[in-house]
Each structure stands twice: as C-alpha cells, then as structure tokens.
Amino acid sequence: MTTLPELDEAARVIRHHLPARPSVGVVLGSGLGGWADELADLVKLPYADIPGMPRPAVAGHAGMLCAGRVGDVQVACLQGRAHLYEGHALAKAVFGVRVLARLGCRAVLLTNAAGGIHHSFAAGDLMLITDHLNLMGVNPLVGPNDEALGKRFPDMTYAHDPRLLELARAAANDAGVTLREGVYAALLGPTYETPAEIRMLRTLGADAVGMSTVPEIIALRHMGVPAAAISCITNLAAGLTQRELDHAEVEETARASRARFSALLSAWVRRAGEGAAAGSAS
Ligand code: HPA
C-alpha cells in the first residue's frame, strides 16, 4: 500500500524542480511520449530521481517526469508508465498518477496505444474512452484502504469524468481532428489477445483493447481527481486482419499519428486548464 507521506515525499522532490504548480496532469502511452518534448519551459526529471517512483522497462516508455506549459496551463506529465505486466506491484503501477494528484493537478488526461475492435475503426484513429471493462483480474485498491487517500468503495459511474469528456470533444473540434468514442477493455498482457478473446471482447461491448490506463483511472477516482483518457488505435485487434501483432508496429503507428494526437492533446490540456483554473477560483 502506498501511503500519503510516501506520495508527498515524491511530490516534494518534484516540486523542488518545478517553476510553478501544475494544474493538469498528463500520462503518455506507448509511442506517444514525444508530445512532452514540445512543452514550453520544459523541465525533465528522471523517474530514478523521484523516491518511490517505479521505472518502466518497455521500449517507447521513457521514464521521465516532464513539466512545462501549454499556453498558460502548467502541466506535469508522465513520459512513460509502469505496466502491471512488468511485474510492478499494483500500488506501484499507480504511484505516478497519485503523485500527479498530490502535486495539485485538478485533472489528469491519460493516453494509451490500443487495438481497435469496433468494425468501423482503422489504425491511426483516436478514440475517447467513455467507459471501460476492467478485465485485468486485479484492482489497484485491493488491500487495506488508506482513508486519507480515498474511500473504501469508490463509485465508478463517472470514472471517466463527464466534464473532461465534453472538453475532449470540444478540443477535437478546436484541433480539427476526428475523435471516435468507445469502451476500452483492459487486459493484463503482456501477450496480445487471441482472435477468440477479441470476439469475446466485442460481444462484451468493448471497442478497443489495451494493457494500461484502467488502474490509473481507478486510483484517480479513488482520490477524487477528475480523469479521462484517449486511445490511439495503433492496430486492428488480433484476428481482424491476417497479420500478426507486433510492438514495433504499435509504436510506429502511434508515431505516425503524432501530429493529430499532439494537436488534440494540446487543445484538451488548454480546455482542461481553463476548467481547472475556474474550478480553483470557485
Ligand atoms: N492489444 C492489447 N494492447 C494493445 C494492442 C492490442 O491489440 N495494441 C496496442 N496495445
């Protein structure tokens, strides 16, 4: 279990390096990390320098805390995440987003690479996650509950914050980017799915599938921090084409989608930042 003092120690070390208090947190998924390098007044801190922070081992995940500005909005960004399939303890896998919350972020915007299941999706599409299926077989809140972080039985009706979803739609409009919507199924990985599993997931109502994000959404919901997520559909899911799936292809498609993804994410951060400032004024 992660305790509040552990999170606050990490936040204290990070704050020491930041010029300003961040209002919006961002998590960048596989192949999507380049966005952080475009932040104004960029400051980078390796995860290795942050006490308690797990280090991601997957190619395409840098393991840097990046802080900077998008317009007037101060952002703290996790460039690379720790996945459960790497063997991290559950509490560790969500340590980074909990630290973003303790840094003062009033909204956290998550991103990931995902396989497309919905029949109308194509590689390169961007999908707003409107709800999820937690099929990881685990939950980051298992174990003793720290009431200082949140309550024992958090509601999940609005786990994907309705206001942030609206802001994402508006941001897609701002950026002139088509934004699909759908349900994200999270599996433990690290294998990709079998074609039979993809047929099962489609029957269950999933539009996309991946190996991340849901634990972070749950941890942020636990702490009462609004969060929402966008998937970059990097491939059609297993069995929907004849081709085998490959991580290099996932990263390549994510990179090829970079211009649209970056424009959308920057517009979303601006809108969420305005909202966070308005929220803090009231
Ligand atoms: N399945 C699971 N995770 C993924 C996929 C996929 O097809 N693509 C990118 N991440």
Side-chain angles (χ1 to χ4, degrees), residues 17-268:
H17 294 267
L18 303 191
R21 184 189 174 96
S23 63
V24 175
V26 171
V27 180
L28 297 170
S30 294
L32 303 170
W35 180 83
D37 293 315
E38 291 164 17
L39 289 169
D41 305 335
L42 175 64
V43 174
K44 282 187 154 196
L45 190 62
Y47 289 173
D49 293 352
I50 303 171
M53 191 79 169
R55 294 178 220 163
V58 185
H61 288 260
M64 289 277 182
L65 184 129
C66 302
R69 275 187 304 107
V70 176
D72 293 335
V73 183
Q74 296 289 342
V75 179
C77 177
L78 302 182
Q79 197 180 37
R81 55 155 63 89
H83 292 85
L84 294 183
Y85 59 71
E86 290 169 64
H88 295 289
L90 272 159
K92 280 287 181 192
V94 296
F95 190 87
V97 288
R98 287 199 185 281
V99 170
L100 292 180
R102 296 303 297 170
L103 280 171
C105 294
R106 299 296 208 98
V108 177
L109 314 182
L110 304 157
T111 67
N112 62 43
I117 296 178
H118 192 278
H119 60 81
S120 74
F121 287 179
D125 280 355
L126 303 175
M127 187 193 90
L128 181 63
I129 299 179
T130 54
D131 205 348
H132 70 241
L133 299 170
N134 180 11
L135 301 175
M136 293 181 133
V138 290
N139 187 303
L141 306 187
V142 167
N145 186 54
D146 185 349
E147 290 287 330
L149 290 179
K151 53 187 171 186
R152 175 73 290 188
F153 300 110
D155 171 75
M156 295 299 284
T157 312
Y158 302 111
H160 300 263
D161 183 69
R163 212 186 101 260
L164 289 179
L165 297 183
E166 270 311 311
L167 295 181
R169 294 175 186 118
N173 196 42
D174 295 344
V177 167
T178 302
L179 185 58
R180 310 300 201 112
E181 300 197 5
V183 172
Y184 174 89
L187 274 65
L188 184 58
T191 52
Y192 290 113
E193 301 70 36
T194 64
E197 285 166 345
I198 294 302
R199 290 194 295 276
M200 173 190 75
L201 292 174
R202 180 177 271 172
T203 304
L204 293 178
D207 299 301
V209 59
M211 307 172 195
S212 69
T213 304
V214 165
E216 295 151 336
I217 287 277
I218 291 171
L220 289 163
R221 184 71 178 143
H222 183 229
M223 295 176 85
V225 176
I230 288 178
S231 293
C232 177
I233 304 296
T234 52
N235 56 281
L236 293 184
L240 300 185
T241 69
Q242 304 304 314
R243 295 221 312 280
E244 292 186 21
L245 303 188
D246 175 43
H247 184 64
E249 183 188 333
V250 165
E251 284 193 280
E252 205 177 291
T253 311
R255 281 204 204 91
S257 310
R258 178 171 168 162
R260 281 177 306 118
F261 170 83
S262 291
L264 172 62
L265 183 54
S266 296
W268 198 18

Side-chain angles (χ1 to χ4, degrees), residues 2-9 102 146 148-149 223:
T2 301
T3 63
L4 204 50
E6 283 170 324
L7 294 170
D8 285 346
E9 174 57 13
R102 296 303 297 170
D146 185 349
L149 290 179
M223 295 176 85

